[in-house]
Amino acid sequence: MEFISIFFSFFTLLSALFFFTSSVRGGRKNLPLPPGTLGWPYIGETFQLYSQNPNVFFASKVKKYGSIFKTHVLGCRCVMISSPAAAKLVLVTKSHLFKPTFPASKERMLGKQAIFFHQGDYHSKLRRLVLRAFTPESVKTIIPDIESIAVDSLRSCENRLVNTFQEMKTFTFNVALLSIFGKDEVLYRKDLKRCYHILEKGYNSMPVNLPGTLFNKSMKARKELAQILAKILTLRRESKTEEQKDLLGSFMEQKEGLSDEQIADNIIGVIFAARDTTASVITWIVKYLAENPSVLQAVTEEQEGIMKGKDDKGLTWVDTKKMPITSRVIQETLRVASILSFTFREAVEDVEFEGYLIPKGWKVLPLFRNIHHSPENFPNPEKFDPSRFEVAPKPNTFMPFGNGAHSCPGNELAKLEILVLLHHLTTKYRWSMVGPQNEIHYAPFALPQNGLPITLTRK
Ligand code: HEM
């Protein structure tokens, strides 16, 4: 009797489960797509997106359809989302349903094995290796070297008209190499820089590998970069010195078992992730400080205070933790400039989302910039006001470094190198902007017009 009732309950449970899953599946198919328009066949709404500031496109769609809408750009059907809760769902809570996705040309240039393109065990392992090279404990040991790179960078800009973004790209490139190769970086700087310069020109090109195309030149530079990296790996293995604490040392640990190709793809990937992002944030800070004299004065006073009792000794980790005003300037710049306006994911199966269907294969774009510029999250959002960060932002409303499994592992290093550069910039220099600077260029990161030309003079 008992057996029959257990069997019966089991059968009922099974049928209920079957009914439930099939009705969800059937239900999903019947769910509506998010509101919005798909535009013309194939080209979709690509022209509307790129014929104006892309943020105008996003903002007008949000106004018309709400925080989730569909569109069709660059040959892809997309769902764009701009509510903090929905962004958290895609990037954190349901991240297994949304895989990272990139244009084919980027994947071939950075290398298939780079961290960005993976999920699961391989991704977790790489992330652990990258994170341990960028913990506060690790990055604090390279502060004196970051400082000397910053001092040299600023000195090289003295008394001439400079393109802030280009100069800061050199600074952030050198810091990235330092964090990857340790002090050895100067040995490889010139060659790596030459190859990387050619490689980056092809990042957004059509993947046509014919002689003379940008893509073809980039692929050749990519090959040469991999050869230089292979040489560095051999030299390090032969030198038999103690295991080093830099990123290369972390990747090379024998027990981790990474192949040389995997190491090369990830080193090129980290340079890519570290350089232009940090350089564009610094460029925006230089602009906002020039436009907001009272904020510049507050930052300068804070930095002079740090400099005072130091007798020309270098900055320490503890010093960098005593810079609340400067840190809030960095936070507010990350919010207002939102240099990464959005990121890309792809639905790995049909997903039910806030009562809508996101079909398998559709791209999903969390719109960071819209979240950072929503008056509900940040009152008077267009105003540059670092003091708003005296109070912590509402959860999931501030994501300059992303969120979840793919969030930025380099954020401590990025903040540290910006603080060190600002310390020397504000205590030793005056600068003025040259020419018009009202427009924003997207290349692809948001940038002030023409990379912000300035003149820099010693105080
Ligand atoms: C202010 C400068 C930076 C900003 C705003 C920034 C922003 C971001 C964001 C938003 C993501 C997540 C993208 C996504 O979820 O699709 C990301 C990922 C990443 N960032 Fe950064 N980043 C910066 C600097 C750096 C630096 C200095 C490094 C390395 C030294 C770095 C290394 C990486 C890596 C390796 C990833 C991929 C992580 C993964 O896929 O697991 N970033 N970054």
Side-chain angles (χ1 to χ4, degrees), residues 115-116 123 127 134 270 273-274 277-278 281 334 339-340 343 345 368 400-402 405-410 413-414 417:
I115 184 167
F116 320 98
H123 174 258
R127 212 172 149 79
F134 294 129
V270 166
T277 46
T278 318
V281 172
L334 288 165
I339 56 138
L340 282 160
T343 188
R345 295 289 186 270
F368 296 136
F401 294 106
H406 286 272
S407 66
C408 181
L413 177 66
E417 63 187 291

Side-chain angles (χ1 to χ4, degrees), residues 24 58 84 88 101 162 182 188 307 328:
V24 167
F58 299 141
K88 186 180 173 199
T101 166
V162 293
Y188 318 122
M307 204 171 65
R328 286 198 288 270

Side-chain angles (χ1 to χ4, degrees), residues 73-146:
V73 290
L74 298 168
C76 304
R77 286 161 195 269
C78 310
V79 172
M80 300 194 171
I81 52 169
S82 66
S83 84
K88 186 180 173 199
L89 218 76
V90 171
L91 299 173
V92 188
T93 336
K94 297 266 166 80
S95 59
H96 58 288
L97 299 177
F98 300 97
K99 67 173 186 192
T101 166
F102 288 82
S105 57
K106 206 153 262 172
E107 199 168 315
R108 281 180 68 184
M109 277 174 204
L110 294 177
K112 295 197 287 295
Q113 322 240 33
I115 184 167
F116 320 98
F117 313 124
H118 293 271
Q119 280 182 302
D121 291 348
Y122 177 64
H123 174 258
S124 310
K125 172 167 149 169
L126 287 174
R127 212 172 149 79
R128 180 172 51 76
L129 300 183
V130 173
L131 275 169
R132 78 175 171 198
F134 294 129
T135 56
E137 278 61 43
S138 306
V139 294
K140 66 168 73 158
T141 61
I142 57 171
I143 294 178
D145 303 291
I146 297 179

Side-chain angles (χ1 to χ4, degrees), residues 202-256:
Y203 273 145
N204 296 314
S205 64
M206 296 284 285
V208 180
N209 204 355
L210 291 174
T213 60
L214 267 184
F215 186 75
N216 181 266
K217 287 182 193 158
S218 295
M219 289 308 283
K220 282 188 184 149
R222 172 74 181 68
K223 211 165 159 190
E224 200 183 334
L225 262 181
Q227 283 161 355
I228 300 172
L229 292 171
K231 216 180 326 170
I232 298 174
L233 285 171
T234 313
L235 284 175
R236 241 201 215 188
R237 283 187 188 117
E238 282 170 3
S239 76
K240 293 204 173 68
T241 47
E242 249 179 65
E243 268 172 6
Q244 306 204 26
K245 298 260 175 275
D246 48 40
L247 184 64
L248 185 63
S250 180
F251 283 154
M252 283 179 73
E253 261 189 31
Q254 246 174 14
K255 64 175 188 312
E256 306 296 350

